[in-house]
Amino acid sequence: MATEFLPELDITAPARQRRWTVLLRWLLLVPQFIVMWALGIATAVVAVISWFAALFLGRLPDWSIAYLSGYLGYYHRVAAYALLLVDTYPPFSWSSGDHPVSVRLAPGRLNRLAVLFRIVLVIPAAIVLDLISTGLATLVFFFWLIMLVIGRTPVPVFGATAATLRYTLRVQAYFLLLSSSYPKGLFGEPHQVNRAGAVGSDTRPLVLSSGGRVLLIVFIVLGVLGSFGGGDGAEQANSGNNQVRSTY
């Protein structure tokens, strides 16, 4: 029986970050956001063509794998920098080079029936992603202030944010047919994995601290309140969510 492979996000966290880059982080990323906007349009076209190709072939064409894998790698390097997980500016490149953020994907054969209904199958995972993204967006300004003062990312904040970003990768990879494994593992791996398995980075395996798990639950709670609440609070949460999704 084939071993299930879930997409992995490797992030090597810096000990400290330069406060001036934290202060100007989103301004520094303006060129990246412009490029990502253009690439997002191209990716939508490639995704539609790839869906039809996968229905006939039972797999993605090689050119599609190369483009979509490269796009997800670039996207998550920008996202990790925007969310203060790293202090190394993302290169305008498909290749990660020596950047501390990279993705691990293993595209393969696809079930045609699952491909046909992929947009329906992904809905539950997309709802979970929407909730945690809304919760993260609600708190991201406070995280920015904390980092501006102490010059580093607190361990719980790093873990919960990295878990959100990794889950984003898994949902995107599943939706774009780069993975046949349904998105899971939001709360990371059990502590036993860290002792028994080889450590690939600060997020592989992703073992959350107690504070990180609590913070992730807070994201979900805030996401629920932001999605179903009313008044100005919900509008502010939705506004913050849209800002984070400019990175997602």
Side-chain angles (χ1 to χ4, degrees):
M1 185 176 179
T3 302
E4 181 184 45
F5 180 86
L6 286 162
E8 290 289 355
L9 178 66
D10 281 332
I11 303 176
T12 302
R16 298 191 66 81
Q17 298 201 38
R18 295 164 293 177
R19 287 183 175 85
W20 75 267
T21 67
V22 174
L23 177 65
L24 302 175
R25 185 63 51 99
W26 285 71
L27 180 61
L28 293 171
L29 279 169
V30 168
Q32 297 282 1
F33 291 151
I34 293 173
V35 173
M36 282 182 59
W37 172 79
L39 290 175
I41 296 173
T43 300
V45 175
V46 172
V48 172
I49 297 173
S50 300
W51 182 80
F52 282 105
L55 276 180
F56 285 99
L57 301 175
R59 61 176 178 83
L60 287 178
D62 291 341
W63 64 267
S64 175
I65 292 174
Y67 177 85
L68 295 174
S69 298
Y71 171 76
L72 285 188
Y74 173 64
Y75 174 98
H76 284 276
R77 283 187 286 277
V78 173
Y81 185 71
L83 293 172
L84 305 172
L85 293 174
V86 297
D87 194 35
T88 304
Y89 195 79
F92 291 93
S93 171
W94 257 203
S95 173
S96 62
D98 59 356
H99 194 271
V101 178
S102 61
V103 301
R104 290 161 51 87
L105 300 165
R109 300 295 302 180
L110 296 166
N111 182 306
R112 288 182 174 86
L113 187 61
V115 171
L116 179 63
F117 292 104
R118 185 60 52 100
I119 196 169
V120 175
L121 294 172
V122 79
I123 288 175
I127 291 173
V128 173
L129 179 57
D130 181 74
L131 294 177
I132 58 175
S133 297
T134 299
L136 173 57
T138 304
L139 297 176
V140 72
F141 174 74
F142 301 101
F143 295 162
W144 176 78
L145 284 179
I146 291 170
M147 286 205 53
L148 199 57
V149 173
I150 68 176
R152 60 180 176 80
T153 308
V155 171
V157 174
F158 177 87
T161 305
T164 301
L165 195 55
R166 188 182 72 164
Y167 192 75
T168 302
L169 169 65
R170 291 180 173 179
V171 173
Q172 290 175 329
Y174 182 74
F175 181 71
L176 293 175
L177 306 176
L178 288 168
S179 172
S180 58
S181 299
Y182 201 78
K184 59 184 179 181
L186 173 59
F187 285 87
E189 282 71 53
H191 288 275
Q192 294 87 334
V193 175
N194 198 27
R195 294 195 295 268
V199 176
S201 68
D202 291 322
T203 57
R204 183 165 57 88
L206 181 60
V207 180
L208 299 182
S209 65
S210 298
R213 288 175 172 268
V214 169
L215 190 52
L216 205 49
I217 293 172
V218 171
F219 287 175
I220 296 172
V221 172
L222 290 175
V224 171
L225 294 176
S227 298
F228 299 104
D232 295 337
E235 291 177 4
Q236 291 172 2
N238 288 332
S239 175
N241 190 30
N242 289 336
Q243 291 177 0
V244 170
R245 283 191 197 162
S246 69
T247 303
Y248 290 163

PDB file of all heavy atoms in Angstrom, residues 50-51 53-61 64-65 106-116 118 173-181:
ATOM      1  N   SER A  50      -5.161  22.503 -16.566  1.00  0.00           N
ATOM      2  CA  SER A  50      -4.622  21.316 -15.894  1.00  0.00           C
ATOM      3  C   SER A  50      -5.742  20.385 -15.434  1.00  0.00           C
ATOM      4  O   SER A  50      -5.588  19.159 -15.448  1.00  0.00           O
ATOM      5  CB  SER A  50      -3.771  21.737 -14.698  1.00  0.00           C
ATOM      6  OG  SER A  50      -2.690  22.540 -15.111  1.00  0.00           O
ATOM      7  N   TRP A  51      -6.862  20.954 -15.007  1.00  0.00           N
ATOM      8  CA  TRP A  51      -7.997  20.137 -14.557  1.00  0.00           C
ATOM      9  C   TRP A  51      -8.522  19.267 -15.696  1.00  0.00           C
ATOM     10  O   TRP A  51      -8.747  18.070 -15.523  1.00  0.00           O
ATOM     11  CB  TRP A  51      -9.088  21.047 -14.011  1.00  0.00           C
ATOM     12  CG  TRP A  51     -10.291  20.321 -13.484  1.00  0.00           C
ATOM     13  CD1 TRP A  51     -10.416  19.711 -12.276  1.00  0.00           C
ATOM     14  CD2 TRP A  51     -11.541  20.128 -14.164  1.00  0.00           C
ATOM     15  NE1 TRP A  51     -11.667  19.149 -12.147  1.00  0.00           N
ATOM     16  CE2 TRP A  51     -12.384  19.391 -13.296  1.00  0.00           C
ATOM     17  CE3 TRP A  51     -12.028  20.512 -15.409  1.00  0.00           C
ATOM     18  CZ2 TRP A  51     -13.674  19.025 -13.646  1.00  0.00           C
ATOM     19  CZ3 TRP A  51     -13.323  20.143 -15.756  1.00  0.00           C
ATOM     20  CH2 TRP A  51     -14.124  19.411 -14.875  1.00  0.00           C
ATOM     21  N   ALA A  53      -6.850  18.402 -18.375  1.00  0.00           N
ATOM     22  CA  ALA A  53      -5.794  17.454 -18.732  1.00  0.00           C
ATOM     23  C   ALA A  53      -5.766  16.283 -17.757  1.00  0.00           C
ATOM     24  O   ALA A  53      -5.609  15.120 -18.170  1.00  0.00           O
ATOM     25  CB  ALA A  53      -4.438  18.166 -18.747  1.00  0.00           C
ATOM     26  N   ALA A  54      -5.942  16.569 -16.460  1.00  0.00           N
ATOM     27  CA  ALA A  54      -5.913  15.512 -15.450  1.00  0.00           C
ATOM     28  C   ALA A  54      -7.096  14.559 -15.598  1.00  0.00           C
ATOM     29  O   ALA A  54      -6.980  13.359 -15.312  1.00  0.00           O
ATOM     30  CB  ALA A  54      -5.900  16.118 -14.051  1.00  0.00           C
ATOM     31  N   LEU A  55      -8.232  15.069 -16.050  1.00  0.00           N
ATOM     32  CA  LEU A  55      -9.391  14.203 -16.274  1.00  0.00           C
ATOM     33  C   LEU A  55      -9.101  13.158 -17.348  1.00  0.00           C
ATOM     34  O   LEU A  55      -9.542  12.005 -17.258  1.00  0.00           O
ATOM     35  CB  LEU A  55     -10.598  15.048 -16.691  1.00  0.00           C
ATOM     36  CG  LEU A  55     -11.430  15.680 -15.575  1.00  0.00           C
ATOM     37  CD1 LEU A  55     -12.579  16.485 -16.172  1.00  0.00           C
ATOM     38  CD2 LEU A  55     -11.982  14.615 -14.627  1.00  0.00           C
ATOM     39  N   PHE A  56      -8.361  13.561 -18.378  1.00  0.00           N
ATOM     40  CA  PHE A  56      -8.046  12.645 -19.475  1.00  0.00           C
ATOM     41  C   PHE A  56      -6.837  11.767 -19.165  1.00  0.00           C
ATOM     42  O   PHE A  56      -6.829  10.576 -19.493  1.00  0.00           O
ATOM     43  CB  PHE A  56      -7.793  13.438 -20.757  1.00  0.00           C
ATOM     44  CG  PHE A  56      -9.042  13.988 -21.392  1.00  0.00           C
ATOM     45  CD1 PHE A  56      -9.413  15.306 -21.189  1.00  0.00           C
ATOM     46  CD2 PHE A  56      -9.872  13.187 -22.171  1.00  0.00           C
ATOM     47  CE1 PHE A  56     -10.577  15.817 -21.755  1.00  0.00           C
ATOM     48  CE2 PHE A  56     -11.033  13.682 -22.740  1.00  0.00           C
ATOM     49  CZ  PHE A  56     -11.386  15.004 -22.527  1.00  0.00           C
ATOM     50  N   LEU A  57      -5.811  12.336 -18.540  1.00  0.00           N
ATOM     51  CA  LEU A  57      -4.550  11.626 -18.342  1.00  0.00           C
ATOM     52  C   LEU A  57      -4.468  10.873 -17.020  1.00  0.00           C
ATOM     53  O   LEU A  57      -3.661   9.947 -16.876  1.00  0.00           O
ATOM     54  CB  LEU A  57      -3.373  12.613 -18.411  1.00  0.00           C
ATOM     55  CG  LEU A  57      -3.198  13.406 -19.701  1.00  0.00           C
ATOM     56  CD1 LEU A  57      -2.073  14.426 -19.547  1.00  0.00           C
ATOM     57  CD2 LEU A  57      -2.929  12.473 -20.882  1.00  0.00           C
ATOM     58  N   GLY A  58      -5.271  11.295 -16.035  1.00  0.00           N
ATOM     59  CA  GLY A  58      -5.150  10.707 -14.702  1.00  0.00           C
ATOM     60  C   GLY A  58      -3.957  11.253 -13.946  1.00  0.00           C
ATOM     61  O   GLY A  58      -3.573  10.711 -12.891  1.00  0.00           O
ATOM     62  N   ARG A  59      -3.380  12.309 -14.418  1.00  0.00           N
ATOM     63  CA  ARG A  59      -2.244  12.973 -13.775  1.00  0.00           C
ATOM     64  C   ARG A  59      -2.093  14.354 -14.389  1.00  0.00           C
ATOM     65  O   ARG A  59      -2.685  14.650 -15.435  1.00  0.00           O
ATOM     66  CB  ARG A  59      -0.950  12.189 -13.974  1.00  0.00           C
ATOM     67  CG  ARG A  59      -0.558  12.021 -15.437  1.00  0.00           C
ATOM     68  CD  ARG A  59       0.772  11.319 -15.597  1.00  0.00           C
ATOM     69  NE  ARG A  59       1.096  11.136 -17.009  1.00  0.00           N
ATOM     70  CZ  ARG A  59       1.652  12.076 -17.782  1.00  0.00           C
ATOM     71  NH1 ARG A  59       1.955  13.263 -17.256  1.00  0.00           N
ATOM     72  NH2 ARG A  59       1.914  11.838 -19.046  1.00  0.00           N
ATOM     73  N   LEU A  60      -1.280  15.198 -13.769  1.00  0.00           N
ATOM     74  CA  LEU A  60      -0.995  16.505 -14.339  1.00  0.00           C
ATOM     75  C   LEU A  60       0.113  16.396 -15.376  1.00  0.00           C
ATOM     76  O   LEU A  60       1.060  15.618 -15.196  1.00  0.00           O
ATOM     77  CB  LEU A  60      -0.544  17.483 -13.243  1.00  0.00           C
ATOM     78  CG  LEU A  60      -1.603  18.007 -12.274  1.00  0.00           C
ATOM     79  CD1 LEU A  60      -0.938  18.928 -11.247  1.00  0.00           C
ATOM     80  CD2 LEU A  60      -2.696  18.761 -13.005  1.00  0.00           C
ATOM     81  N   PRO A  61       0.041  17.162 -16.460  1.00  0.00           N
ATOM     82  CA  PRO A  61       1.168  17.204 -17.408  1.00  0.00           C
ATOM     83  C   PRO A  61       2.419  17.753 -16.736  1.00  0.00           C
ATOM     84  O   PRO A  61       2.322  18.520 -15.767  1.00  0.00           O
ATOM     85  CB  PRO A  61       0.664  18.164 -18.500  1.00  0.00           C
ATOM     86  CG  PRO A  61      -0.816  18.243 -18.317  1.00  0.00           C
ATOM     87  CD  PRO A  61      -1.078  18.016 -16.859  1.00  0.00           C
ATOM     88  N   SER A  64       2.642  21.511 -16.386  1.00  0.00           N
ATOM     89  CA  SER A  64       1.734  22.031 -15.365  1.00  0.00           C
ATOM     90  C   SER A  64       2.319  21.849 -13.968  1.00  0.00           C
ATOM     91  O   SER A  64       2.248  22.754 -13.130  1.00  0.00           O
ATOM     92  CB  SER A  64       0.381  21.328 -15.465  1.00  0.00           C
ATOM     93  OG  SER A  64      -0.478  21.726 -14.425  1.00  0.00           O
ATOM     94  N   ILE A  65       2.908  20.684 -13.721  1.00  0.00           N
ATOM     95  CA  ILE A  65       3.555  20.427 -12.438  1.00  0.00           C
ATOM     96  C   ILE A  65       4.670  21.432 -12.195  1.00  0.00           C
ATOM     97  O   ILE A  65       4.798  21.999 -11.101  1.00  0.00           O
ATOM     98  CB  ILE A  65       4.113  18.991 -12.390  1.00  0.00           C
ATOM     99  CG1 ILE A  65       2.965  17.968 -12.365  1.00  0.00           C
ATOM    100  CG2 ILE A  65       5.016  18.802 -11.173  1.00  0.00           C
ATOM    101  CD1 ILE A  65       3.423  16.524 -12.452  1.00  0.00           C
ATOM    102  N   ALA A 106       4.979  16.141  -4.008  1.00  0.00           N
ATOM    103  CA  ALA A 106       5.218  14.877  -4.705  1.00  0.00           C
ATOM    104  C   ALA A 106       4.009  14.548  -5.573  1.00  0.00           C
ATOM    105  O   ALA A 106       3.235  13.629  -5.261  1.00  0.00           O
ATOM    106  CB  ALA A 106       5.508  13.758  -3.712  1.00  0.00           C
ATOM    107  N   PRO A 107       3.798  15.290  -6.671  1.00  0.00           N
ATOM    108  CA  PRO A 107       2.651  15.019  -7.553  1.00  0.00           C
ATOM    109  C   PRO A 107       2.759  13.619  -8.154  1.00  0.00           C
ATOM    110  O   PRO A 107       3.866  13.130  -8.438  1.00  0.00           O
ATOM    111  CB  PRO A 107       2.780  16.101  -8.639  1.00  0.00           C
ATOM    112  CG  PRO A 107       3.683  17.143  -8.050  1.00  0.00           C
ATOM    113  CD  PRO A 107       4.621  16.411  -7.149  1.00  0.00           C
ATOM    114  N   GLY A 108       1.622  12.983  -8.348  1.00  0.00           N
ATOM    115  CA  GLY A 108       1.634  11.644  -8.924  1.00  0.00           C
ATOM    116  C   GLY A 108       0.319  11.340  -9.617  1.00  0.00           C
ATOM    117  O   GLY A 108      -0.363  12.256 -10.102  1.00  0.00           O
ATOM    118  N   ARG A 109      -0.046  10.064  -9.659  1.00  0.00           N
ATOM    119  CA  ARG A 109      -1.296   9.652 -10.288  1.00  0.00           C
ATOM    120  C   ARG A 109      -2.482  10.211  -9.510  1.00  0.00           C
ATOM    121  O   ARG A 109      -2.426  10.382  -8.293  1.00  0.00           O
ATOM    122  CB  ARG A 109      -1.397   8.130 -10.341  1.00  0.00           C
ATOM    123  CG  ARG A 109      -0.297   7.444 -11.130  1.00  0.00           C
ATOM    124  CD  ARG A 109      -0.331   7.791 -12.606  1.00  0.00           C
ATOM    125  NE  ARG A 109      -1.603   7.440 -13.231  1.00  0.00           N
ATOM    126  CZ  ARG A 109      -1.882   7.649 -14.517  1.00  0.00           C
ATOM    127  NH1 ARG A 109      -0.990   8.240 -15.313  1.00  0.00           N
ATOM    128  NH2 ARG A 109      -3.049   7.301 -15.018  1.00  0.00           N
ATOM    129  N   LEU A 110      -3.560  10.489 -10.234  1.00  0.00           N
ATOM    130  CA  LEU A 110      -4.751  11.075  -9.637  1.00  0.00           C
ATOM    131  C   LEU A 110      -5.976  10.219  -9.941  1.00  0.00           C
ATOM    132  O   LEU A 110      -6.070   9.625 -11.027  1.00  0.00           O
ATOM    133  CB  LEU A 110      -4.977  12.492 -10.180  1.00  0.00           C
ATOM    134  CG  LEU A 110      -3.900  13.527  -9.847  1.00  0.00           C
ATOM    135  CD1 LEU A 110      -4.065  14.767 -10.728  1.00  0.00           C
ATOM    136  CD2 LEU A 110      -3.969  13.907  -8.373  1.00  0.00           C
ATOM    137  N   ASN A 111      -6.886  10.161  -9.005  1.00  0.00           N
ATOM    138  CA  ASN A 111      -8.168   9.498  -9.207  1.00  0.00           C
ATOM    139  C   ASN A 111      -9.065  10.430 -10.019  1.00  0.00           C
ATOM    140  O   ASN A 111      -9.368  11.537  -9.581  1.00  0.00           O
ATOM    141  CB  ASN A 111      -8.799   9.176  -7.844  1.00  0.00           C
ATOM    142  CG  ASN A 111     -10.099   8.435  -7.961  1.00  0.00           C
ATOM    143  OD1 ASN A 111     -11.020   8.882  -8.651  1.00  0.00           O
ATOM    144  ND2 ASN A 111     -10.201   7.304  -7.281  1.00  0.00           N
ATOM    145  N   ARG A 112      -9.484   9.996 -11.206  1.00  0.00           N
ATOM    146  CA  ARG A 112     -10.249  10.889 -12.086  1.00  0.00           C
ATOM    147  C   ARG A 112     -11.561  11.341 -11.458  1.00  0.00           C
ATOM    148  O   ARG A 112     -12.007  12.466 -11.678  1.00  0.00           O
ATOM    149  CB  ARG A 112     -10.516  10.195 -13.430  1.00  0.00           C
ATOM    150  CG  ARG A 112      -9.278  10.051 -14.313  1.00  0.00           C
ATOM    151  CD  ARG A 112      -9.635   9.391 -15.636  1.00  0.00           C
ATOM    152  NE  ARG A 112      -8.525   9.358 -16.561  1.00  0.00           N
ATOM    153  CZ  ARG A 112      -7.598   8.406 -16.586  1.00  0.00           C
ATOM    154  NH1 ARG A 112      -7.665   7.403 -15.707  1.00  0.00           N
ATOM    155  NH2 ARG A 112      -6.622   8.445 -17.472  1.00  0.00           N
ATOM    156  N   LEU A 113     -12.201  10.462 -10.688  1.00  0.00           N
ATOM    157  CA  LEU A 113     -13.455  10.839 -10.036  1.00  0.00           C
ATOM    158  C   LEU A 113     -13.201  11.946  -9.008  1.00  0.00           C
ATOM    159  O   LEU A 113     -13.974  12.896  -8.902  1.00  0.00           O
ATOM    160  CB  LEU A 113     -14.088   9.618  -9.371  1.00  0.00           C
ATOM    161  CG  LEU A 113     -15.503   9.819  -8.792  1.00  0.00           C
ATOM    162  CD1 LEU A 113     -16.482  10.207  -9.900  1.00  0.00           C
ATOM    163  CD2 LEU A 113     -15.968   8.554  -8.073  1.00  0.00           C
ATOM    164  N   ALA A 114     -12.093  11.819  -8.255  1.00  0.00           N
ATOM    165  CA  ALA A 114     -11.737  12.851  -7.280  1.00  0.00           C
ATOM    166  C   ALA A 114     -11.368  14.158  -7.981  1.00  0.00           C
ATOM    167  O   ALA A 114     -11.641  15.238  -7.464  1.00  0.00           O
ATOM    168  CB  ALA A 114     -10.585  12.370  -6.406  1.00  0.00           C
ATOM    169  N   VAL A 115     -10.767  14.047  -9.156  1.00  0.00           N
ATOM    170  CA  VAL A 115     -10.446  15.251  -9.941  1.00  0.00           C
ATOM    171  C   VAL A 115     -11.733  15.939 -10.380  1.00  0.00           C
ATOM    172  O   VAL A 115     -11.870  17.165 -10.285  1.00  0.00           O
ATOM    173  CB  VAL A 115      -9.581  14.894 -11.163  1.00  0.00           C
ATOM    174  CG1 VAL A 115      -9.434  16.109 -12.095  1.00  0.00           C
ATOM    175  CG2 VAL A 115      -8.210  14.400 -10.731  1.00  0.00           C
ATOM    176  N   LEU A 116     -12.675  15.158 -10.851  1.00  0.00           N
ATOM    177  CA  LEU A 116     -13.942  15.704 -11.343  1.00  0.00           C
ATOM    178  C   LEU A 116     -14.664  16.498 -10.265  1.00  0.00           C
ATOM    179  O   LEU A 116     -15.211  17.576 -10.533  1.00  0.00           O
ATOM    180  CB  LEU A 116     -14.840  14.567 -11.847  1.00  0.00           C
ATOM    181  CG  LEU A 116     -16.219  14.958 -12.374  1.00  0.00           C
ATOM    182  CD1 LEU A 116     -16.099  15.853 -13.601  1.00  0.00           C
ATOM    183  CD2 LEU A 116     -17.049  13.716 -12.691  1.00  0.00           C
ATOM    184  N   ARG A 118     -13.236  17.720  -7.431  1.00  0.00           N
ATOM    185  CA  ARG A 118     -12.256  18.348  -6.536  1.00  0.00           C
ATOM    186  C   ARG A 118     -12.773  19.643  -5.921  1.00  0.00           C
ATOM    187  O   ARG A 118     -12.556  19.909  -4.741  1.00  0.00           O
ATOM    188  CB  ARG A 118     -10.958  18.599  -7.302  1.00  0.00           C
ATOM    189  CG  ARG A 118      -9.787  19.145  -6.474  1.00  0.00           C
ATOM    190  CD  ARG A 118      -9.405  18.195  -5.340  1.00  0.00           C
ATOM    191  NE  ARG A 118      -9.162  16.840  -5.743  1.00  0.00           N
ATOM    192  CZ  ARG A 118      -7.960  16.296  -5.931  1.00  0.00           C
ATOM    193  NH1 ARG A 118      -6.878  17.027  -5.766  1.00  0.00           N
ATOM    194  NH2 ARG A 118      -7.824  15.027  -6.262  1.00  0.00           N
ATOM    195  N   ALA A 173      -2.376  22.852  -2.642  1.00  0.00           N
ATOM    196  CA  ALA A 173      -1.819  21.739  -3.414  1.00  0.00           C
ATOM    197  C   ALA A 173      -2.901  20.727  -3.773  1.00  0.00           C
ATOM    198  O   ALA A 173      -2.910  20.166  -4.877  1.00  0.00           O
ATOM    199  CB  ALA A 173      -0.697  21.065  -2.619  1.00  0.00           C
ATOM    200  N   TYR A 174      -3.821  20.482  -2.848  1.00  0.00           N
ATOM    201  CA  TYR A 174      -4.920  19.557  -3.123  1.00  0.00           C
ATOM    202  C   TYR A 174      -5.840  20.128  -4.201  1.00  0.00           C
ATOM    203  O   TYR A 174      -6.209  19.429  -5.147  1.00  0.00           O
ATOM    204  CB  TYR A 174      -5.706  19.292  -1.844  1.00  0.00           C
ATOM    205  CG  TYR A 174      -6.839  18.305  -2.012  1.00  0.00           C
ATOM    206  CD1 TYR A 174      -6.587  16.942  -2.154  1.00  0.00           C
ATOM    207  CD2 TYR A 174      -8.169  18.734  -2.039  1.00  0.00           C
ATOM    208  CE1 TYR A 174      -7.633  16.039  -2.317  1.00  0.00           C
ATOM    209  CE2 TYR A 174      -9.214  17.835  -2.195  1.00  0.00           C
ATOM    210  CZ  TYR A 174      -8.940  16.489  -2.344  1.00  0.00           C
ATOM    211  OH  TYR A 174      -9.974  15.597  -2.518  1.00  0.00           O
ATOM    212  N   PHE A 175      -6.177  21.398  -4.071  1.00  0.00           N
ATOM    213  CA  PHE A 175      -7.070  22.029  -5.039  1.00  0.00           C
ATOM    214  C   PHE A 175      -6.436  22.099  -6.426  1.00  0.00           C
ATOM    215  O   PHE A 175      -7.118  21.899  -7.445  1.00  0.00           O
ATOM    216  CB  PHE A 175      -7.438  23.432  -4.564  1.00  0.00           C
ATOM    217  CG  PHE A 175      -8.374  24.159  -5.499  1.00  0.00           C
ATOM    218  CD1 PHE A 175      -9.696  23.765  -5.621  1.00  0.00           C
ATOM    219  CD2 PHE A 175      -7.931  25.227  -6.264  1.00  0.00           C
ATOM    220  CE1 PHE A 175     -10.561  24.412  -6.492  1.00  0.00           C
ATOM    221  CE2 PHE A 175      -8.782  25.883  -7.134  1.00  0.00           C
ATOM    222  CZ  PHE A 175     -10.112  25.476  -7.246  1.00  0.00           C
ATOM    223  N   LEU A 176      -5.134  22.347  -6.488  1.00  0.00           N
ATOM    224  CA  LEU A 176      -4.432  22.467  -7.774  1.00  0.00           C
ATOM    225  C   LEU A 176      -3.968  21.116  -8.315  1.00  0.00           C
ATOM    226  O   LEU A 176      -3.214  21.061  -9.292  1.00  0.00           O
ATOM    227  CB  LEU A 176      -3.236  23.408  -7.620  1.00  0.00           C
ATOM    228  CG  LEU A 176      -3.571  24.879  -7.348  1.00  0.00           C
ATOM    229  CD1 LEU A 176      -2.307  25.677  -7.084  1.00  0.00           C
ATOM    230  CD2 LEU A 176      -4.355  25.487  -8.514  1.00  0.00           C
ATOM    231  N   LEU A 177      -4.376  20.030  -7.649  1.00  0.00           N
ATOM    232  CA  LEU A 177      -4.110  18.655  -8.103  1.00  0.00           C
ATOM    233  C   LEU A 177      -2.646  18.254  -7.995  1.00  0.00           C
ATOM    234  O   LEU A 177      -2.209  17.291  -8.629  1.00  0.00           O
ATOM    235  CB  LEU A 177      -4.591  18.462  -9.563  1.00  0.00           C
ATOM    236  CG  LEU A 177      -6.049  18.839  -9.848  1.00  0.00           C
ATOM    237  CD1 LEU A 177      -6.360  18.691 -11.338  1.00  0.00           C
ATOM    238  CD2 LEU A 177      -6.994  17.976  -9.024  1.00  0.00           C
ATOM    239  N   LEU A 178      -1.885  18.996  -7.191  1.00  0.00           N
ATOM    240  CA  LEU A 178      -0.489  18.639  -6.957  1.00  0.00           C
ATOM    241  C   LEU A 178      -0.362  17.606  -5.845  1.00  0.00           C
ATOM    242  O   LEU A 178       0.721  17.087  -5.594  1.00  0.00           O
ATOM    243  CB  LEU A 178       0.319  19.883  -6.585  1.00  0.00           C
ATOM    244  CG  LEU A 178       0.575  20.872  -7.722  1.00  0.00           C
ATOM    245  CD1 LEU A 178       1.128  22.176  -7.174  1.00  0.00           C
ATOM    246  CD2 LEU A 178       1.534  20.281  -8.746  1.00  0.00           C
ATOM    247  N   SER A 179      -1.471  17.323  -5.166  1.00  0.00           N
ATOM    248  CA  SER A 179      -1.493  16.317  -4.117  1.00  0.00           C
ATOM    249  C   SER A 179      -2.840  15.610  -4.146  1.00  0.00           C
ATOM    250  O   SER A 179      -3.878  16.244  -4.359  1.00  0.00           O
ATOM    251  CB  SER A 179      -1.287  16.976  -2.744  1.00  0.00           C
ATOM    252  OG  SER A 179      -1.496  16.044  -1.695  1.00  0.00           O
ATOM    253  N   SER A 180      -2.809  14.298  -3.934  1.00  0.00           N
ATOM    254  CA  SER A 180      -4.059  13.539  -3.838  1.00  0.00           C
ATOM    255  C   SER A 180      -4.447  13.293  -2.386  1.00  0.00           C
ATOM    256  O   SER A 180      -5.482  12.686  -2.109  1.00  0.00           O
ATOM    257  CB  SER A 180      -3.917  12.201  -4.579  1.00  0.00           C
ATOM    258  OG  SER A 180      -2.849  11.447  -4.035  1.00  0.00           O
ATOM    259  N   SER A 181      -3.607  13.762  -1.449  1.00  0.00           N
ATOM    260  CA  SER A 181      -3.870  13.582  -0.017  1.00  0.00           C
ATOM    261  C   SER A 181      -4.714  14.739   0.492  1.00  0.00           C
ATOM    262  O   SER A 181      -4.362  15.907   0.286  1.00  0.00           O
ATOM    263  CB  SER A 181      -2.555  13.525   0.769  1.00  0.00           C
ATOM    264  OG  SER A 181      -1.767  12.433   0.342  1.00  0.00           O
TER     265      SER A 181
END
